[in-house]
């Protein structure tokens, strides 16, 4: 992902209302608004893009990420550690067996004692119905009280790493995988996704994944089907959430006891085992009473019940019945693979092997989802922070980074009544230092410039302008505003000096009424052949070592809008209009 794409994502994030996520926790996806869910996806994508571009995502200079796992974990444990490391936090795992909890220390006391320099607490507590989510809320209330009373300097956010109700980090990672697989949220409406029970030789698997899937994926206009044998129901309250979501988004939610019916025509299938809700309630009560004999009896009953449904396996035949035989197979992992991890299990080995790479990619989104949850909860203005992390927009050889081109307080773009303005203060860019170009300082304006929307495209150093028709060759997307910024001589922009750019082209912003800038250089020449009249702008000679050195008119401002702009079009002569100062 390049910097321009990352900037567009940040611009989109800035339009979302995620204010309530600051200093708040992430327990259940259906407690979050559509904008908050979208913001989490956007921040995850931005952080991934930054890391892929080798740009540091470190936003904490110190602090701890506390993890507490009351159940076994591989993917989520390492995803949480990766997320904290990405953001600059050090991870400390709370082992309850080695703490004073074993000696009767209260939840309130423990929560405050571990939080003196903690920014996030991640908890997995998924084994007992009615307990896990409640415990997380107890911890949250304890640190809120400590922060309010001045015991804690900061209020750590709590991230649900899986409870008895929902597994938000897993299901959000699953959803982001689906979004990218199908090419965007807008392409999901009407897609059929099947969340199906599948046979496992073990019992007692949590309900939180199937519940999380139907609770989240019904929010995107998809047709969600929950399939399981009779007696394997999930929480009724979560099913009601799914029905409400489907009704609100134009999708549907249905339940069936027929696996083949559920797979038929599906675009996405998610076959996974879980324990019956009623059995999990009974199990919780037995553990609470210390009835170990009752637990052993229940375990035998559940294993026998599971064995009655060994035919609930994701086979090649079932996959062939999906839409065009090409449904996306998903699993939170580890899967019970028939003939590999067990004799008979959730999925045929051939199916799993065929989808191994997509499955691993699905899992790879989780660290970024967790990091996004932490970012939005701990940083008030996340869009601004991420923009700061992104830093330089364009890097030019010989010139070093072109410092803070857009939205960084130097050159800024403002969208006001559909007019676009480039505001430049009189100080201007007076010199080149240390191989870089100093920023253009923003003039004080009555209307503070803001950021443009995500339709803006920057025509910069990565496009060979003189050699391409930027519209006809589909270099840029049609339908969006195109911004052309030429701050330096074209020789430098073109990454070499072979185009004979001996005269400075002043930085301009161009806007066509149709939203597209069409480039037609005069008389078949490159753009450097387009004359800029010296009596209209102040020019400075090109320094062939460092590139051009613009000098702006004294006390003047450049304003490029619908009525005053330098426009580039198909004219065979010189540029049709020159900006009036």
């Amino acid at each position: 992902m390049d910097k321009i794409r990352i900037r567009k994502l940040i611009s989109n994030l800035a339009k979302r209302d995620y204010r309530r996520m600051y200093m708040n926790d992430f327990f259940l996806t259906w407690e979050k608004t559509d904008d908050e869910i979208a913001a989490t996806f956007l921040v995850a994508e931005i952080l991934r893009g930054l890391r892929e571009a080798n740009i540091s995502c470190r936003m904490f200079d110190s602090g701890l990420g506390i993890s507490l796992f009351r159940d076994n974990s591989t993917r989520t444990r390492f995803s949480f550690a990766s997320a904290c490391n990405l953001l600059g936090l050090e991870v400390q795992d709370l082992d309850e067996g080695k703490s004073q909890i074993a000696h009767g220390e209260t939840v309130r006391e423990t929560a405050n004692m571990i939080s003196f320099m903690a920014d996030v607490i991640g908890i997995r507590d998924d084994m007992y119905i009615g307990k896990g989510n409640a415990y997380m809320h107890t911890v949250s209330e304890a640190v809120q009280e400590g922060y309010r009373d001045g015991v804690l300097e900061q209020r750590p956010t709590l991230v649900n790493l899986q409870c008895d109700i929902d597994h938000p980090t897993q299901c959000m990672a699953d959803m982001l995988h689906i979004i990218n697989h199908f090419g965007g949220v807008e392409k999901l409406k009407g897609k059929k996704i099947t969340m199906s029970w599948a046979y496992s030789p073990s019992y007692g698997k949590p309900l939180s994944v199937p519940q999380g899937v139907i609770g989240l994926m019904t929010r995107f206009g998809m047709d969600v089907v929950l399939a399981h044998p009779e007696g394997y129901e999930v929480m009724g309250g979560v099913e009601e959430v799914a029905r409400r979501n489907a009704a609100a988004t134009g999708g549907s939610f249905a339940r069936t006891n027929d696996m083949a019916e559920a797979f038929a025509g599906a675009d996405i299938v998610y076959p996974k085992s879980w324990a019956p809700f009623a059995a999990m309630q009974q199990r919780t009560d037995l553990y609470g009473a210390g009835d170990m004999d009752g637990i052993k009896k229940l375990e035998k009953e559940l294993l026998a019940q599971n064995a009655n449904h060994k035919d609930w396996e994701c086979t090649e035949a079932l996959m062939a019945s999906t839409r065009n035989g090409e449904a996306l197979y998903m699993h939170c992992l580890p899967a019970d693979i028939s003939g590999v991890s067990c004799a008979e299990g959730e999925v045929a080995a051939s199916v799993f092997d065929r989808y191994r790479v997509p499955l691993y990619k699905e899992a790879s989104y989780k660290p970024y989802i967790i990091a996004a949850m932490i970012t939005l909860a701990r940083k008030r203005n996340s869009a601004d922070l991420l923009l700061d992390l992104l830093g330089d927009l364009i890097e030019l050889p010989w010139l070093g980074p072109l410092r803070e081109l857009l939205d960084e307080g130097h050159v800024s773009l403002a969208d006001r009544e559909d007019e676009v303005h480039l505001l430049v203060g009189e100080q201007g860019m007076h010199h080149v230092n240390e191989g870089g170009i100093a920023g253009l300082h923003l003039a004080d304006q009555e209307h503070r410039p803001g950021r443009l929307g995500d339709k803006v495209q920057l025509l910069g150093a990565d496009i060979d302008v003189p050699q391409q028709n930027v519209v006809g060759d589909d270099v840029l997307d049609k339908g969006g505003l195109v911004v052309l910024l030429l701050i330096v001589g074209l020789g430098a922009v073109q990454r070499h000096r072979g185009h004979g750019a001996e005269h400075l082209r002043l930085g301009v912003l161009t806007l066509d009424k149709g939203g597209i800038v069409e480039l037609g250089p005069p008389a078949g020449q490159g753009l450097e052949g387009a004359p800029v009249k010296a009596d209209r702008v102040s020019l400075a000679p090109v320094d062939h070592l460092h590139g051009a050195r613009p000098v702006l008119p004294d006390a003047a401002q450049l304003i490029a809008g619908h009525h005053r702009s330098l426009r580039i079009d198909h004219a065979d002569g010189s540029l049709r209009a020159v900006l009036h100062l």
Side-chain angles (χ1 to χ4, degrees), residues 10 21 61 70 154 163 173 193 215 227 245 266 270 362 465 526 569:
I10 296 173
M21 298 185 77
D61 290 327
R70 291 179 153 183
Q154 76 294 319
C163 71
I193 175 171
N245 288 345
Y270 203 135
E362 173 188 351
V465 179
D569 53 31

Side-chain angles (χ1 to χ4, degrees), residues 1-8 49 52-53 390 462:
M1 187 184 300
D2 60 28
K3 287 187 175 183
I4 296 174
R5 171 62 179 158
I6 297 171
R7 184 173 291 272
K8 287 181 178 180
E52 287 175 352
L390 177 61
D462 57 335

Side-chain angles (χ1 to χ4, degrees), residues 281-301:
Q281 281 187 310
Q282 185 181 355
R283 180 172 177 267
T284 299
D285 294 339
L286 289 170
Y287 270 111
D291 187 352
M292 301 312 295
D293 289 336
I295 290 293
K296 291 179 181 178
K297 180 182 177 183
L298 177 63
E299 179 178 347
K300 290 180 180 179
E301 292 174 354

Side-chain angles (χ1 to χ4, degrees), residues 4 6 189 203 237 240 273 285 306 360-361 379 421 504:
I4 296 174
I6 297 171
K189 193 172 183 63
Y203 92 103
E240 181 56 34
S273 186
D285 294 339
N306 278 9
Y360 291 177
K361 288 182 178 179
K379 301 299 179 180
H421 300 264
L504 173 68

Side-chain angles (χ1 to χ4, degrees), residues 178-201:
I178 291 172
I179 291 169
N180 284 316
H181 178 81
F182 287 100
V185 173
E186 67 281 358
K187 296 183 180 180
L188 299 182
K189 193 172 183 63
K191 291 282 190 293
K192 179 181 177 180
I193 175 171
T194 295
M195 180 71 234
S196 176
W197 186 87
Y199 169 72
S200 172

